[in-house]
Amino acid sequence: MTTPAQFPLSMPTGLPLPLEGIRVLDATHIVAGPFCSLILADMGAEVIKIERPRTGDIARGRTPFVTGADGNRMSSRFLGINRNKKSVSIDLRHPRCNQAFKNLVAVSDVLVDNWGSGAFRRLGLGYERLSEINPGLVYASITGYGDSEGLTGPYSSWPANNMAIQAMSGWMEMTGDPDGPPQAVGDNIGDSIPGLWAALSIVLALETRRKTGRGQHIDVAMYECMVSHIESNMNHYHSTGEAPMRSHDRMATAGVTFRAKDGYVVLAGARTEDRLRALWQTIGRNDLAEDPRFLGGEQGGEFFVNEFVPAIEGWSVNLGKLEIAERLVALGFSMGMAQTMEDLAHCPHLEGRRMYVDTGDTLGGAFRSPRTPVRLTACVDSPAETPPTLGQHNSEILCGIGGLTPEELESLEAEGAL
């Protein structure tokens, strides 16, 4: 065990990124797979995006678009999660292209696929076949409900997407007005959370390979990834036999949301009697500072909606979100501001943390997207390469490690196979 005395007085800097030297074949599309490979690319891996000829990743056609001066367009959804990658367009159904892909597998470390249960097996590219070509290959498949022998259930063949998985995993049932229907969370966490777990699984499998020399298949089920993040509600159910419902009663424990002049703020966390008394004194309601109903207890959701929140809003609606949060944080409360996309895009804290990365947009302009939030403070900065155009690296990769000749490349392009 390393003791503090063994560490150098000054911490190292300029260390290489952890996945430098790792080659990843990214046979994924839309969000879950590309989000996974984005993490790997930002951490130094060489990521080669395998795309269909002519159309490429489906996300290339998804709105909203960035429009260049010449009228050409690029999907902002694609730009946001495909930086630091190379693109090869190749029809894996074509025998020569299929062989070129196997050549790539032979000299790669990782393959990521999210084309659905059994899709690559039907092309003769299942893990069993590819592991014969490269026993050290780490092959991660991201499917809706899992895709490996001995780990199947009644939903294993079902297709899936963000909304379906949010519903299946309980997230929608926990979200929204208690008197209304289940609601989805406002972004595609049903894709990005599985992408995060896939990236972590890959790194762990690479560590096992470092110890043993053997790769393996990683079976990532979007369903399970999302279920793993409802631990509080599931623990509640297992301990009480009751499912926590969407209810105003939860305001008493989860947090109190109230209006500001420019939006909403949330008062969350422990609300002790002393803090609540200080709150009422701060906002000029000394009468409530001596009222036991407003100093904690079990008054329930109706009291919070009809009495507690209006009492605060008599003060808060005249102030901005930031001022309210700062004043109540000073009293010891955990505060949150309900921030809009505009707030986040110009947040001074995120700017100070360098949370955004600027790349090109492939149209001659610039594009800003969130940085991977892995902070390896001794490593060099992550790259910031512009996302690739479709097939941009065909010649470099397919005529290199893919084994095609320039003549074959030209012929396959003429056939529409590249």
Side-chain angles (χ1 to χ4, degrees):
M1 179 177 176
T2 302
T3 64
Q6 291 174 281
F7 285 112
L9 293 178
S10 60
M11 294 301 290
T13 59
L15 299 180
L17 290 168
L19 298 182
E20 184 178 304
I22 296 295
R23 177 178 289 138
V24 177
L25 300 181
D26 174 21
T28 70
H29 63 159
I30 311 180
V31 176
F35 191 84
C36 164
S37 59
L38 172 68
I39 297 169
L40 305 179
D42 279 0
M43 292 298 105
E46 177 191 15
V47 174
I48 301 172
K49 190 171 178 66
I50 308 297
E51 303 190 68
R52 287 177 168 173
R54 295 178 296 279
T55 57
D57 185 334
I58 295 172
R60 288 184 180 273
R62 295 285 174 87
T63 58
F65 293 103
V66 175
T67 303
D70 58 2
N72 287 325
R73 304 190 304 173
M74 174 59 71
S75 167
S76 62
R77 294 186 65 181
F78 179 87
L79 290 172
I81 55 174
N82 285 287
R83 63 176 175 266
N84 298 328
K85 303 178 186 180
K86 301 176 180 179
S87 171
V88 165
S89 59
I90 186 169
D91 186 348
L92 297 178
R93 298 168 298 181
H94 190 289
R96 187 65 187 94
C97 294
N98 190 286
Q99 181 57 51
F101 179 76
K102 291 174 182 175
N103 294 343
L104 298 182
V105 167
V107 292
S108 297
D109 302 285
V110 176
L111 169 63
V112 191
D113 147 41
N114 73 332
W115 277 96
S117 182
F120 265 51
R121 284 196 297 273
R122 292 190 289 272
L123 292 168
L125 300 172
Y127 174 70
E128 297 78 9
R129 175 68 185 100
L130 297 183
S131 64
E132 294 173 357
I133 298 171
N134 181 354
L137 180 70
V138 171
Y139 181 175
S141 59
I142 305 172
T143 62
Y145 301 95
D147 182 30
S148 59
E149 186 176 351
L151 288 172
T152 59
Y155 312 139
S156 293
S157 63
W158 287 15
N161 57 25
N162 167 52
M163 289 288 286
I165 291 298
Q166 284 200 42
M168 290 291 290
S169 61
W171 281 77
M172 288 181 66
E173 188 58 42
M174 297 184 295
T175 306
D177 190 284
D179 299 320
Q183 297 287 326
V185 176
D187 210 312
N188 49 357
I189 62 170
D191 291 313
S192 56
I193 286 179
L196 174 62
W197 279 105
L200 174 59
S201 300
I202 288 167
V203 172
L204 295 175
L206 287 171
E207 175 61 10
T208 294
R209 190 188 70 169
R210 184 186 68 81
K211 295 176 179 177
T212 66
R214 296 290 304 187
Q216 60 183 292
H217 176 230
I218 299 171
D219 178 3
V220 180
M222 298 165 69
Y223 185 29
E224 296 165 3
C225 292
M226 291 294 287
V227 167
S228 74
H229 285 259
I230 60 168
E231 73 282 352
S232 295
N233 286 271
M234 188 62 75
N235 292 339
H236 180 110
Y237 176 79
H238 282 305
S239 64
T240 68
E242 300 174 353
M245 301 300 292
R246 285 177 280 129
S247 169
H248 288 307
D249 288 336
R250 296 184 66 189
M251 295 176 64
T253 55
V256 180
T257 302
F258 51 93
R259 290 179 297 156
K261 182 170 61 176
D262 54 354
Y264 289 85
V265 295
V266 177
L267 186 153
R271 295 190 292 278
T272 65
E273 181 175 329
D274 287 344
R275 286 178 184 168
L276 288 170
R277 181 174 287 108
L279 165 66
W280 300 123
Q281 292 170 343
T282 296
I283 71 173
R285 292 299 305 270
N286 290 324
D287 56 321
L288 302 184
E290 303 303 326
D291 187 331
R293 298 176 303 156
F294 290 84
L295 298 178
E298 301 294 334
Q299 284 75 26
E302 186 174 343
F303 174 80
F304 272 83
V305 172
N306 297 326
E307 302 289 341
F308 193 97
V309 170
I312 297 178
E313 288 185 341
W315 166 76
S316 65
V317 294
N318 299 307
L319 302 174
K321 294 182 293 188
L322 180 58
E323 181 179 355
I324 295 168
E326 289 177 336
R327 291 180 67 173
L328 298 189
V329 164
L331 299 180
F333 288 105
S334 295
M335 296 298 299
M337 298 179 289
Q339 299 207 96
T340 65
M341 291 304 104
E342 183 178 5
D343 292 333
L344 293 171
H346 301 96
C347 174
H349 185 85
L350 293 179
E351 290 288 350
R353 293 276 296 171
R354 301 196 301 277
M355 184 56 196
Y356 294 108
V357 57
D358 294 303
T359 67
D361 63 3
T362 76
L363 302 171
F367 189 79
R368 170 165 284 201
S369 54
R371 185 183 300 274
T372 300
V374 177
R375 300 295 186 169
L376 305 177
T377 59
C379 288
V380 299
D381 287 340
S382 295
E385 298 294 329
T386 297
T389 55
L390 179 59
Q392 180 179 338
H393 303 90
N394 279 358
S395 179
E396 171 193 337
I397 292 169
L398 295 178
C399 291
I401 58 177
L404 296 181
T405 65
E407 293 75 22
E408 286 178 311
L409 184 80
E410 185 177 351
S411 176
L412 290 169
E413 286 176 343
E415 291 181 49
L418 298 180

